[in-house]
Amino acid sequence: MDIQQLYEFCLSKKAVTEHFPFDEDTLVFKVGGKMFCLTSLKEWEKGTPALNLKGDPEKNEELRAEYEAINPGFHMNKSIWNTVDFNSDVPDKMMLQLINQSYDLVYKGLTKKVREEIEKEAD
């Protein structure tokens, strides 16, 4: 997966927007105003890309034990965020699943009102 594929995959999800809230380097994808995926453009350029993704705390521990490329979230709440390195032992298919899980967790955590607004816009 390259940065363009990541970009297209994230933006293909319902109500996703892109932002640079921290600096010109950190690309953030949000749904309903909440972050679900962060990545450094400079790291992509250097060939060492990684994503910060939200996950279930118990599942996060299992993933970190199973995969060398999955670690506690860099600059994030370490219990609910993972940093997942590309070009390591996490296959692209699983990376897509982790992005989907992050999106789903954030979407489900949105207020009912925000979810209803998103659903209305999607129709």
Side-chain angles (χ1 to χ4, degrees):
M1 175 183 296
D2 61 30
I3 185 71
Q4 187 63 36
Q5 291 167 317
L6 170 70
Y7 183 83
E8 290 171 6
F9 182 74
C10 288
L11 288 181
S12 72
K13 302 186 151 315
K14 189 177 352 180
V16 170
T17 56
E18 63 173 303
H19 305 270
F20 288 88
F22 307 114
D23 52 38
E24 294 177 3
D25 174 49
T26 308
L27 173 60
V28 177
F29 294 99
K30 295 182 178 184
V31 59
K34 304 289 184 183
M35 300 185 294
F36 74 92
C37 180
L38 298 84
T39 192
S40 164
L41 298 180
K42 289 178 187 171
E43 293 302 319
W44 281 92
E45 290 172 6
K46 290 194 308 190
T48 56
L51 302 179
N52 276 8
L53 299 168
K54 196 169 193 178
D56 173 79
E58 289 181 27
K59 183 75 173 161
N60 285 348
E61 291 299 321
E62 293 173 23
L63 290 169
R64 292 171 190 166
E66 187 174 344
Y67 294 95
E68 186 177 311
I70 301 179
N71 297 288
F74 182 69
H75 286 310
M76 306 296 281
N77 180 326
K78 308 241 182 280
S79 66
I80 58 175
W81 286 88
N82 284 323
T83 296
V84 185
D85 298 325
F86 277 89
N87 307 325
S88 190
D89 62 341
V90 177
D92 281 358
K93 183 176 179 180
M94 181 168 184
M95 190 70 82
L96 296 176
Q97 292 172 341
L98 294 171
I99 295 168
N100 285 335
Q101 289 171 4
S102 183
Y103 174 88
D104 292 343
L105 278 170
V106 173
Y107 188 85
K108 289 175 187 172
L110 298 173
T111 65
K112 182 178 178 184
K113 180 181 178 185
V114 172
R115 286 193 314 268
E116 286 174 350
E117 289 172 4
I118 289 170
E119 293 300 325
K120 190 186 309 183
E121 289 176 15
D123 289 339

